[in-house]
Amino acid sequence: MSETLLSHAVGAVKRARRTAGRIRRRVERINTVPALGTRGRARPTLKPVHLSVLGGRTFNLAVPSPRRSGEVAEAFLIFERRDQRHIVAMELESPPHGPVLLTATTGLRHARHDAPEASGPRLTDGVWRLTVEISDTKGRKARFGITAPPAYAADGPTLSSPPSPSSGAVFRPMRSVDGQSMIKVTGPRLGAELIAFDLRWDRISVRGRLLAGGSPAEFTAEAVRRGGTASVPIRAEWDGDRFAFDVPLDAMAKGRAKGVWDIQMRSGRNRIKIGRRLSDVRHPKKVFRTPFRTIATEGGALLRVHAHLTAAGNLAVSSTVISTKETV
């Protein structure tokens, strides 16, 4: 390799390292909350072997035990925020290789938006401190903080902190300014979640539910033509906060050869698009692929339709008129 090519290669490596460093520092700033991990005097910390929130609501923790297995009587993981405390029992595990571990797995719930009968700590909005409390066989107690794991920066197919599929709340692992692990809880926004849509030979059926305590009495469904003001009302059937309806393809096709329609809910002047958001998929349009279909409607029209998700995860229907009852 010539000196010129070697110089270019070394420069490229240095630039890549500087870029990776900037990205890592930026991710750390985003994932850092302006709060201390402890109150008062700093306590010793444990470096986690694993800490994550999987599936939007399942909290997993494994930390090395600071005591021998025979010295630990019981151990607890404590979620703390102001005067609120939630305690989860931890288990002692002895892997074939490595130190003895204290582990905890629990479902996280939002205090307001999850069902009352759901198990697991019910957390309110805000930042929660994490503490491990250990009691030894002599009755002595010791409390430890948890060191925040390194920030993980990735743009893969899944989100690092997806919303909870039960409530839409986000339970996001964060780090304090003094480097300890915390959980930030953010409640869901008012929305309409798409549960499923069925493509049949004569209709498109949609099922969904309202999020964040929306009242069915305040909402009506509609299809709005993209690029214009035309809208078609949709008659929805309600079961609590859940709704179901058939897309009014006949009404959408009248006088229009082709168009793309957004399916949404309306409450007064507020419009809420129906979409798939309670998942960890980063690019829903690329993942949730649906076929085009030729549909013969009850009104006698023959349509080429495509019910699909947009890049933002919203439900849309494109419709092209092949023939109508008058032309047959």
Side-chain angles (χ1 to χ4, degrees), residues 11-228:
V13 171
K14 289 182 178 179
R15 288 192 295 272
R17 288 177 176 174
R18 287 196 296 267
T19 300
R22 286 196 298 269
I23 293 174
R24 184 174 60 254
R25 290 190 293 271
R26 182 170 181 269
V27 171
E28 288 180 352
R29 288 195 297 270
I30 292 174
N31 292 331
T32 300
V33 293
L36 296 175
T38 59
R39 295 176 179 176
R41 187 177 63 181
R43 61 173 65 107
T45 59
L46 303 175
K47 186 176 181 180
V49 175
H50 179 82
L51 189 155
S52 66
V53 178
L54 301 179
R57 64 183 177 187
T58 304
F59 181 85
N60 298 277
L61 175 67
V63 294
S65 174
R67 303 284 187 270
R68 296 179 181 177
S69 58
E71 298 176 351
V72 177
E74 55 184 6
F76 299 97
L77 171 65
I78 304 175
F79 295 82
E80 296 179 285
R81 181 174 183 267
R82 297 177 182 173
D83 58 344
Q84 303 176 68
R85 283 167 54 95
H86 294 278
I87 301 175
V88 176
M90 302 188 73
E91 297 183 359
L92 200 64
E93 296 186 9
S94 300
H97 304 286
V100 177
L101 299 178
L102 293 172
T103 64
T105 298
T106 182
L108 301 180
R109 312 296 177 184
H110 194 275
R112 178 182 176 188
H113 298 287
D114 266 305
E117 63 272 13
S119 61
R122 303 184 64 81
L123 308 181
T124 56
D125 287 3
V127 178
W128 291 76
R129 295 175 173 85
L130 301 178
T131 303
V132 173
E133 184 177 276
I134 299 175
S135 297
D136 62 18
T137 53
K138 297 181 179 180
R140 296 173 298 189
K141 294 183 178 181
R143 292 166 64 90
F144 300 85
I146 302 173
T147 304
Y152 177 70
D155 187 22
T158 58
L159 300 171
S160 57
S161 297
S164 167
S166 60
S167 65
V170 176
F171 303 96
R172 183 179 177 185
M174 304 284 285
R175 68 190 305 273
S176 64
V177 292
D178 55 348
Q180 297 199 34
S181 294
M182 309 181 85
I183 295 292
K184 183 178 181 180
V185 181
T186 305
R189 299 172 59 184
L190 182 62
E193 175 69 8
L194 176 67
I195 296 176
F197 61 89
D198 300 323
L199 301 176
R200 306 179 185 179
W201 295 112
D202 61 344
R203 71 191 67 187
I204 299 174
S205 299
V206 175
R207 292 180 288 117
R209 66 185 177 104
L210 291 178
L211 299 177
S215 172
E218 301 175 359
F219 288 90
T220 56
E222 63 180 2
V224 179
R225 192 168 189 265
R226 195 175 297 175

Side-chain angles (χ1 to χ4, degrees), residues 244-260:
F245 57 79
D246 291 337
V247 178
L249 296 174
D250 269 323
M252 292 159 55
K254 288 181 179 179
R256 305 174 183 90
K258 185 177 181 180
V260 179

